[in-house]
Amino acid sequence: MASIKDVAAEAGVSVATVSRVLNDHPSVSADARTRVLAAVETLGYRPNAVARSLRTDQTRTLGLVISDVLNPYFTELARSVEEEARALGYSVIIGNADERPDLQDHHVRTLLDRRIDGLLVSPTDGGSPLMLDAARAGTPMVFVDRWIPGVEVPVVRSDGQSAVRDLVTHLHRLGHRRLAIIAGPAATTTGRERVDAFRAALREHGLDLPDAYTGQGDFQAESGRRVTEGFLDLAEPPEVIFAADNLMALGALDAVRARGLRVPDDIALAAFDDIRWFVHTDPPVTAIAQPTGALGRAAVRALVDRIEGRPGESVTLPARLVVRRSCGEPGPSPSPSPVRRSTS
Amino acid sequence: MASIKDVAAEAGVSVATVSRVLNDHPSVSADARTRVLAAVETLGYRPNAVARSLRTDQTRTLGLVISDVLNPYFTELARSVEEEARALGYSVIIGNADERPDLQDHHVRTLLDRRIDGLLVSPTDGGSPLMLDAARAGTPMVFVDRWIPGVEVPVVRSDGQSAVRDLVTHLHRLGHRRLAIIAGPAATTTGRERVDAFRAALREHGLDLPDAYTGQGDFQAESGRRVTEGFLDLAEPPEVIFAADNLMALGALDAVRARGLRVPDDIALAAFDDIRWFVHTDPPVTAIAQPTGALGRAAVRALVDRIEGRPGESVTLPARLVVRRSCGEPGPSPSPSPVRRSTS
DNA sequence: ATTCCTCGTGTAATCGATTCCACGAGGAGG
DNA sequence: CCTCCTCGTGGAATCGATTACACGAGGAAT
């Protein structure tokens, strides 16, 4: 592959001049410029980004470590991150942690070795020393979706508290009193927060969240299935299952179906994270939708701000409830009169 | 960040010795080795991959340009690619083309600038000159899922022909005679092949595929919706719609639902590409499943073979039909004994 | 004792860019 | 006519690694 030297030789100038033309530095004669450009053209020259990075100490690359690529929520996040980054002139390298701290660390390490300019992480666990070190060492970093408390890193996330309250109100109005949750890992902020929000909302309605109704999941479908099995085996199973993410909801659906039960007649289901398929599931699933695209874009902007020396601030956007039929009543406007409308 | 010089100074040896220790070259004394290792430890030194790549002319990185990250099929493919690559000591940089040739070229270009060791592509169009040049120039390359004919590049894909035949037989047996297809872009091999396979299978049953029943989609949900609208507007709408990918099937579902029609009673639906959600849609969707994980792994192996100087061969794996209820008859797996377990 | 290996190590070239500095030509101002 | 700038340009250092080559010390073989 042609190097800058070849271009210089072809154009009959020095490498310095070629470099100047390429970075459009002002002091180059029109003549030299056209000759260089012509040489670039005939040789099909493309600057070696590796060499450039070594010299300039910047890669114009962002690292994104997400918890699980198979989760549509993170997929959408990744997409918006890449889009915004591209608009700002950065590339993105995605690392998939698969909810495993060791894999997460592996990716953080490789990314750091690659000297990415900044790191976007939605941490799988509560305190990878590697990541803490990186943050302390001054690597520009932003947490997205999940975060690690006590670290001086901007956090871009969405607040589901009021949406969860809306959900519980909705459920309560439908007559449900025994509500259970499939929680995410306690090591993650979203894992804890969603349970806390749920419990707080229940309390507002004078309801309790017994331990038996708190299943421990790991944000993967299989755990949703397992926990749901447990719920269904109880002497007094819950009337509603709230899954803290869409994959665990999928698992719950698997489990309910395996028992030959029906949603919402036998048991109601709601999920955190809305995905397109929830419109077409049987029944359509009531969910809490995050402004995923906005989240990704805000995260990139905050990170690039940091990289380029500007402050880079935390952002919190509200999530909102999307009512469908999986909890009983169809329709978006929660009217206090439980109209029995048999659908599908 | 500490460099190899700092380590050398700390250990009281030359950079050459440090490098030798790090690449475990045999001729280093035990004493020097321990001193270097200690220095690496205390300084928290990590080799700069950028510098190393410049010198060795290899990045140990693979580029993967996929058509659409939001498509679960490609997501799963990407995941298996990354997994296998990691096992072989490579990282993967994913570029999302969003089915847009210009974006595809953008990613190929950046990847090439980054001097990735090899390129995995599922081309969005039939002949990006950039990619052809790269292939000719000797960049190790492998096509996955889709390919560009006439290029000397191994292809790893799955063959859906017999599965499509099984599907048509299944549909025919259910009494369907008016079968329509939502095709993918003609610029892609998968776009053409699936139509061809469908048409050939129809012919075997003495059926025809009229133009009116061949809708042009682009592998995105919206096009599925649009084409389906068109089908439903026909004086004689088809009895079955076969979507050439899962996203267009989603769009079709949207359209059918918007009309207040029901699947499969009013119209049957089948899709190429199976995804987990198809089990839980209303109704569960009959689909053709590709061995996605195996595909991704085989593609990486072929590419790494090429990179490391071995032949690197094409692979074709069979897809298979998964019958569910969206075409009329309940599938084999769901046992038709709904245990009514009423929970008080 | 001399010669010849082997072994461990260091010096320096190299990869492909960017950029500081020096230099010569030419114009402006005294 | 001399001095001083400005402008365009090239030489060379530099980034952080790898690696060819040279070299000195020490042991084995003669």
Side-chain angles (χ1 to χ4, degrees):
Chain A
M1 198 161 269
S3 85
I4 195 170
K5 270 191 209 138
D6 304 317
V7 176
E10 173 82 17
V13 297
S14 73
V15 293
T17 299
V18 175
S19 175
R20 278 189 274 257
V21 171
L22 265 27
N23 297 285
D24 42 37
H25 186 284
S27 70
V28 181
S29 67
D31 176 56
R33 164 164 284 112
T34 55
R35 291 219 312 284
V36 168
L37 260 21
V40 165
E41 188 65 28
T42 66
L43 295 177
Y45 168 76
R46 295 245 81 210
N48 183 327
V50 174
R52 188 202 296 258
S53 293
L54 177 60
R55 183 58 233 259
T56 61
D57 201 36
Q58 50 160 326
T59 49
R60 294 206 71 85
T61 301
L62 271 27
L64 169 65
V65 180
I66 57 178
S67 320
D68 184 5
V69 249
L70 296 188
N71 186 326
Y73 167 71
F74 285 113
T75 291
E76 205 181 322
L77 189 70
R79 182 201 146 107
S80 65
V81 162
E82 196 273 336
E83 234 164 43
E84 183 73 9
R86 178 153 35 81
L88 297 176
Y90 285 81
S91 300
V92 177
I93 304 186
I94 303 174
N96 172 32
D98 244 337
E99 302 288 359
R100 283 170 42 191
D102 62 318
L103 253 189
Q104 168 183 278
D105 274 11
H106 165 86
H107 284 122
V108 170
R109 205 180 333 262
T110 352
L111 258 12
L112 255 23
D113 285 356
R114 293 250 143 102
R115 300 302 192 264
I116 45 132
D117 292 341
L119 196 56
L120 232 41
V121 194
S122 103
T124 287
D125 65 345
S128 150
L130 180 62
M131 223 144 54
L132 301 188
D133 284 355
R136 251 191 301 274
T139 311
M141 205 158 138
V142 165
F143 288 136
V144 57
D145 185 54
R146 313 176 183 175
W147 78 98
I148 299 180
V151 191
E152 276 283 330
V153 167
V155 179
V156 173
R157 65 186 196 101
S158 94
D159 178 13
Q161 216 169 317
S162 88
V164 168
R165 191 166 352 160
D166 291 348
L167 171 65
V168 171
T169 302
H170 168 69
L171 295 169
H172 190 268
R173 193 172 292 156
L174 290 171
H176 298 304
R177 294 295 178 271
R178 298 199 309 279
L179 316 188
I181 185 169
I182 308 177
T188 63
T189 46
T190 47
R192 290 191 303 274
E193 275 177 355
R194 291 171 191 178
V195 180
D196 293 346
F198 193 59
R199 178 176 285 118
L202 288 181
R203 193 162 347 233
E204 287 180 20
H205 287 272
L207 298 176
D208 203 32
L209 183 60
D211 283 351
Y213 285 2
T214 314
Q216 189 56 57
D218 60 6
F219 284 141
Q220 305 273 25
E222 173 51 26
S223 71
R225 206 196 45 69
R226 184 172 29 76
V227 170
T228 301
E229 297 264 315
F231 286 156
L232 296 177
D233 283 339
L234 291 174
E236 193 169 57
E239 295 159 330
V240 184
I241 296 179
F242 174 41
D245 88 337
N246 71 81
L247 290 181
M248 296 193 298
L250 173 66
L253 232 30
D254 282 342
V256 169
R257 181 171 201 268
R259 296 266 177 132
L261 299 177
R262 290 176 329 180
V263 176
D265 312 71
D266 298 312
I267 191 158
L269 180 73
F272 209 103
D273 290 342
D274 192 22
I275 61 169
R276 292 197 67 175
W277 296 101
F278 277 164
V279 176
H280 295 293
T281 46
D282 177 27
V285 175
T286 292
I288 291 176
Q290 298 194 52
T292 321
L295 241 32
R297 288 190 293 275
V300 170
R301 281 195 299 267
L303 182 57
V304 170
D305 279 348
R306 284 232 138 175
I307 291 172
E308 297 177 355
R310 296 182 294 274
E313 51 194 20
S314 293
V315 174
T316 304
L317 301 172
R320 64 172 220 290
L321 177 66
V322 179
V323 174
R324 297 201 184 89
R325 293 208 313 277
S326 65
C327 298
E329 183 188 347
S333 56
S335 82
S337 53
V339 181
R340 179 120 320 127
R341 177 138 61 97
S342 186
T343 33
S344 106
Chain B
M1 198 161 271
S3 84
I4 196 172
K5 271 192 208 136
D6 304 318
V7 177
E10 172 81 18
V13 297
S14 73
V15 293
T17 300
V18 175
S19 175
R20 279 189 273 255
V21 170
L22 264 29
N23 297 286
D24 40 38
H25 186 284
S27 69
V28 180
S29 67
D31 176 55
R33 165 164 282 115
T34 55
R35 292 221 311 285
V36 167
L37 260 19
V40 165
E41 190 65 28
T42 68
L43 294 177
Y45 169 76
R46 297 245 80 211
N48 183 327
V50 174
R52 187 202 298 255
S53 293
L54 178 60
R55 183 59 232 259
T56 61
D57 200 36
Q58 51 160 325
T59 50
R60 295 207 69 86
T61 300
L62 270 27
L64 169 65
V65 180
I66 56 177
S67 320
D68 184 5
V69 248
L70 296 188
N71 186 326
Y73 167 71
F74 285 113
T75 292
E76 206 182 321
L77 188 69
R79 181 201 147 107
S80 66
V81 162
E82 195 273 335
E83 234 165 43
E84 183 73 10
R86 179 153 35 81
L88 297 176
Y90 286 81
S91 300
V92 176
I93 304 185
I94 303 173
N96 171 32
D98 244 337
E99 302 288 0
R100 282 169 44 192
D102 61 318
L103 253 189
Q104 167 183 277
D105 274 10
H106 165 87
H107 284 121
V108 170
R109 204 180 332 261
T110 0
L111 257 13
L112 255 22
D113 285 355
R114 293 249 142 100
R115 300 301 192 263
I116 44 131
D117 292 341
L119 196 56
L120 232 41
V121 194
S122 106
T124 287
D125 65 346
S128 150
L130 181 62
M131 223 144 53
L132 301 188
D133 285 355
R136 251 191 300 274
T139 311
M141 206 155 135
V142 165
F143 289 135
V144 57
D145 185 54
R146 312 175 183 176
W147 79 98
I148 299 179
V151 191
E152 276 283 329
V153 167
V155 179
V156 173
R157 65 187 198 101
S158 94
D159 178 13
Q161 217 170 317
S162 87
V164 168
R165 192 166 353 164
D166 291 348
L167 171 66
V168 170
T169 302
H170 168 69
L171 294 170
H172 190 268
R173 191 172 294 154
L174 290 172
H176 298 305
R177 294 296 178 270
R178 298 200 308 278
L179 317 189
I181 185 169
I182 309 178
T188 63
T189 45
T190 48
R192 289 191 303 275
E193 274 177 356
R194 291 172 192 178
V195 180
D196 293 346
F198 192 59
R199 179 176 284 119
L202 288 182
R203 193 161 346 231
E204 286 180 22
H205 289 271
L207 297 176
D208 202 33
L209 183 61
D211 283 351
Y213 284 2
T214 313
Q216 189 56 57
D218 60 5
F219 284 141
Q220 304 274 24
E222 173 50 27
S223 72
R225 205 196 45 68
R226 185 172 30 75
V227 170
T228 302
E229 297 264 316
F231 286 156
L232 297 177
D233 283 339
L234 291 174
E236 192 170 56
E239 294 159 331
V240 184
I241 295 178
F242 174 41
D245 88 337
N246 71 81
L247 290 181
M248 296 194 298
L250 173 65
L253 232 30
D254 282 342
V256 169
R257 180 171 201 266
R259 295 268 175 128
L261 299 176
R262 289 175 331 179
V263 176
D265 313 71
D266 297 312
I267 190 158
L269 181 73
F272 209 103
D273 290 341
D274 192 22
I275 62 170
R276 292 196 69 175
W277 296 102
F278 278 163
V279 176
H280 294 293
T281 46
D282 175 27
V285 176
T286 292
I288 292 178
Q290 298 194 53
T292 321
L295 241 32
R297 288 189 293 275
V300 170
R301 281 195 299 268
L303 183 56
V304 170
D305 278 349
R306 283 232 138 174
I307 291 172
E308 297 177 355
R310 296 182 295 274
E313 51 193 20
S314 293
V315 175
T316 304
L317 301 172
R320 65 172 219 290
L321 176 66
V322 178
V323 174
R324 297 202 183 88
R325 292 208 313 276
S326 66
C327 297
E329 185 186 340
S333 43
S335 86
S337 51
V339 180
R340 179 117 325 123
R341 173 122 81 80
S342 197
T343 49
S344 67

